[in-house]
Amino acid sequence: MLLPQLLEDFFQKVLVALGEYEMSQEKKSFVCKCCGNDTKFIWKTRHGKATTILTWFRYITLKQLQVECKGCGSKQYITRALLGMEPRKRIPEETLRKLALMGALTSYRVSEKFGKMFGWAIDKMTIWKSVQQVGAGMDFVLDENEEPRCEADGTGVGITGIAKRGKELKVLVQYKKSGGIRVAGIDIGNYNGSWDKLLQKSIGVIKKFKEPFLLTAGGDISIFESLKGKVTVLVQRCLWHIPYQAQYVLWSDGVKRKSGEWLHIVAELMEICAIRSLVDCPDTIKAMIGSKKARLEKVIVYCRKKGFKRCVIYLENVRGDMFTALENRLEGKTTSRVARLFRTVNMRVNVRKWSTEGALNVTKVRLA
Ligand SMILES: [Zn+2]
């Protein structure tokens, strides 16, 4: 019972001292909202009307500091300005973000419990609101200073009123130069829905990359659809696409369709990309990959000799990840960075039932 009072007294004293300091300065850190004057003020009160704010520690009630502008005579409170808070807000941005992160890491009920253990009188509704507010204000886009390589995938999430796993959480992660990953896009929508909303925001950034933009898709062709015609994106992993994308690249290299060179390259790629299913002998798979890789190298050498520059760049870009799936079947695990991230998200989303917006917001905060 004593601590909150001491805390309030402490805050009030520091606040008044800060106010006195500001008033002694020629130029103030606050301005008159009416006339823009930032030099001439007189005190109205140092202990005015009470106001409540949520500090990192708990709610505290402070007596407002009020000044009068000598320029126009209007009165204004300077409490929040001195504390670096927005006008009329009860929760400072810093506190809001901490509460939101807490609510994204564990259930709202547990968050409330933790707070109470350390003397916070924060109810779970406030934590819930913080998650919603912070999450709704978050936006993820590609970073032009990181790698022009992304992975896109979707996973089901449980949403209230809809059959389990009725909606799909779509996430775009970007590879960082440091080797890690960052979230570059996130949305919740219907299964097989388009990736438009998520990718649209990043089109401007994709255009800025000097190297071709590489998108590894979890087999979803519609990921590519929303970017078609707007930017050049190379979708990877789905081997079915490679011979077709190669045809586009050959066309941009000026290679005549169905010419001898064209037929040779396309036919080779068709064969390289055709993976026989139901081969379950690890040694056979290893030998298959080895042979396919050697064959691909020959195609690259051929293209280079012929001067098909774009085709060479394209094949060199895709070759690294072409057989990832096949190789992983050998090891019996996935290397998808998104898949790992989804497990983290599901740990939180599985704790309760969610509305679409609620699930999206909590996921945004968690991933940020
Ligand atoms: Zn004024």
Side-chain angles (χ1 to χ4, degrees):
M1 286 172 73
L2 188 59
L3 276 171
Q5 287 179 36
L6 291 171
L7 191 67
E8 275 182 8
D9 276 356
F10 178 72
F11 262 75
Q12 189 75 51
K13 286 206 165 66
V14 172
L15 193 62
V16 171
L18 183 59
E20 299 280 11
Y21 171 77
E22 279 288 339
M23 290 296 271
S24 74
Q25 298 294 300
E26 175 64 27
K27 190 173 157 21
K28 319 288 189 264
S29 66
F30 49 86
V31 296
C32 172
K33 288 187 192 80
C34 295
C35 70
N37 153 45
D38 64 353
T39 50
K40 292 181 181 69
F41 294 90
I42 51 164
W43 277 112
K44 280 311 282 182
T45 176
R46 294 165 181 78
H47 295 88
K49 221 174 83 190
T51 188
T52 302
I53 63 161
L54 182 55
T55 69
W56 287 8
F57 313 102
R58 60 175 301 119
Y59 277 109
I60 57 167
T61 301
L62 297 169
K63 298 278 198 301
Q64 294 252 50
L65 278 60
Q66 197 181 33
V67 295
E68 187 182 303
C69 171
K70 275 169 95 178
C72 71
S74 77
K75 283 178 272 184
Q76 70 181 54
Y77 289 118
I78 56 165
T79 321
R80 280 177 169 73
L82 292 175
L83 292 169
M85 287 176 67
E86 282 175 58
R88 285 180 294 278
K89 276 217 175 148
R90 215 171 264 287
I91 309 180
E93 194 59 30
E94 279 293 319
T95 310
L96 200 70
R97 290 169 67 128
K98 280 185 161 67
L99 289 176
L101 179 58
M102 189 157 75
L105 290 172
T106 185
S107 77
Y108 299 130
R109 203 175 58 85
V110 173
S111 305
E112 183 187 75
K113 202 92 184 166
F114 281 161
K116 285 199 168 128
M117 277 163 59
F118 292 97
W120 275 59
I122 314 296
D123 61 304
K124 53 180 186 280
M125 203 58 199
T126 305
I127 299 165
W128 178 83
K129 271 193 229 154
S130 304
V131 169
Q132 301 313 316
Q133 208 175 319
V134 172
M138 275 177 172
D139 222 356
F140 297 90
V141 287
L142 283 171
D143 184 345
E144 57 174 296
N145 299 312
E146 299 291 354
E147 296 285 344
R149 292 204 297 137
C150 273
E151 213 180 284
D153 212 346
T155 188
V157 283
I159 304 287
T160 318
I162 304 167
K164 207 173 186 303
R165 304 262 166 260
K167 290 270 177 182
E168 191 183 34
L169 169 70
K170 295 173 162 71
V171 174
L172 181 73
V173 301
Q174 182 180 17
Y175 294 159
K176 287 165 68 166
K177 291 197 165 116
S178 62
I181 53 167
R182 61 182 291 278
V183 177
I186 179 170
D187 196 29
I188 291 182
N190 294 324
Y191 268 105
N192 302 321
S194 109
W195 283 69
D196 263 35
K197 244 167 87 187
L198 196 151
L199 291 165
Q200 287 298 334
K201 295 174 195 157
S202 286
I203 285 177
V205 181
I206 296 175
K207 284 178 176 163
K208 285 184 190 163
F209 289 126
K210 282 173 198 82
E211 294 162 71
F213 180 68
L214 226 59
L215 186 62
T216 304
D220 188 352
I221 300 161
S222 68
I223 289 172
F224 190 58
E225 289 295 310
S226 66
L227 292 171
K228 226 180 222 168
K230 289 169 195 135
V231 281
T232 311
V233 174
L234 303 172
V235 181
Q236 254 200 76
R237 180 176 175 182
C238 180
L239 292 175
W240 186 84
H241 279 101
I242 291 179
Y244 297 97
Q245 283 162 359
Q247 290 175 27
Y248 169 78
V249 183
L250 284 170
W251 169 80
S252 63
D253 267 333
V255 183
K256 196 166 169 270
R257 200 178 164 81
K258 300 204 174 167
S259 64
E261 293 150 334
W262 189 95
L263 286 170
H264 171 70
I265 296 165
V266 173
E268 280 300 297
L269 289 177
M270 289 269 189
E271 299 237 41
I272 292 163
C273 294
I275 305 285
R276 215 190 148 101
S277 56
L278 300 172
V279 179
D280 51 18
C281 166
D283 289 332
T284 310
I285 291 174
K286 212 179 248 175
M288 260 168 55
I289 294 171
S291 138
K292 282 175 183 296
K293 280 186 172 169
R295 207 163 165 182
L296 182 67
E297 285 312 308
K298 276 187 193 159
V299 177
I300 295 173
V301 169
Y302 178 82
C303 290
R304 193 175 289 125
K305 217 160 65 190
K306 293 280 180 183
F308 305 154
K309 285 181 189 146
R310 289 193 178 155
C311 196
V312 172
I313 292 169
Y314 171 69
L315 293 176
E316 282 177 343
N317 269 320
V318 294
R319 73 176 160 192
D321 295 303
M322 265 176 78
F323 306 109
T324 323
L326 206 59
E327 279 165 345
N328 286 329
R329 206 178 302 158
L330 274 176
E331 296 161 20
K333 64 172 185 189
T334 170
T335 55
S336 171
R337 313 289 291 271
V338 186
R340 245 194 77 189
L341 189 139
F342 281 153
R343 283 196 288 277
T344 312
V345 170
N346 276 325
M347 275 193 288
R348 180 66 187 96
V349 176
N350 284 342
V351 171
R352 58 169 265 171
K353 295 222 165 190
W354 298 89
S355 68
T356 308
E357 275 307 297
L360 180 59
N361 287 334
V362 78
T363 305
K364 278 168 146 186
V365 175
R366 178 68 201 254
L367 293 183

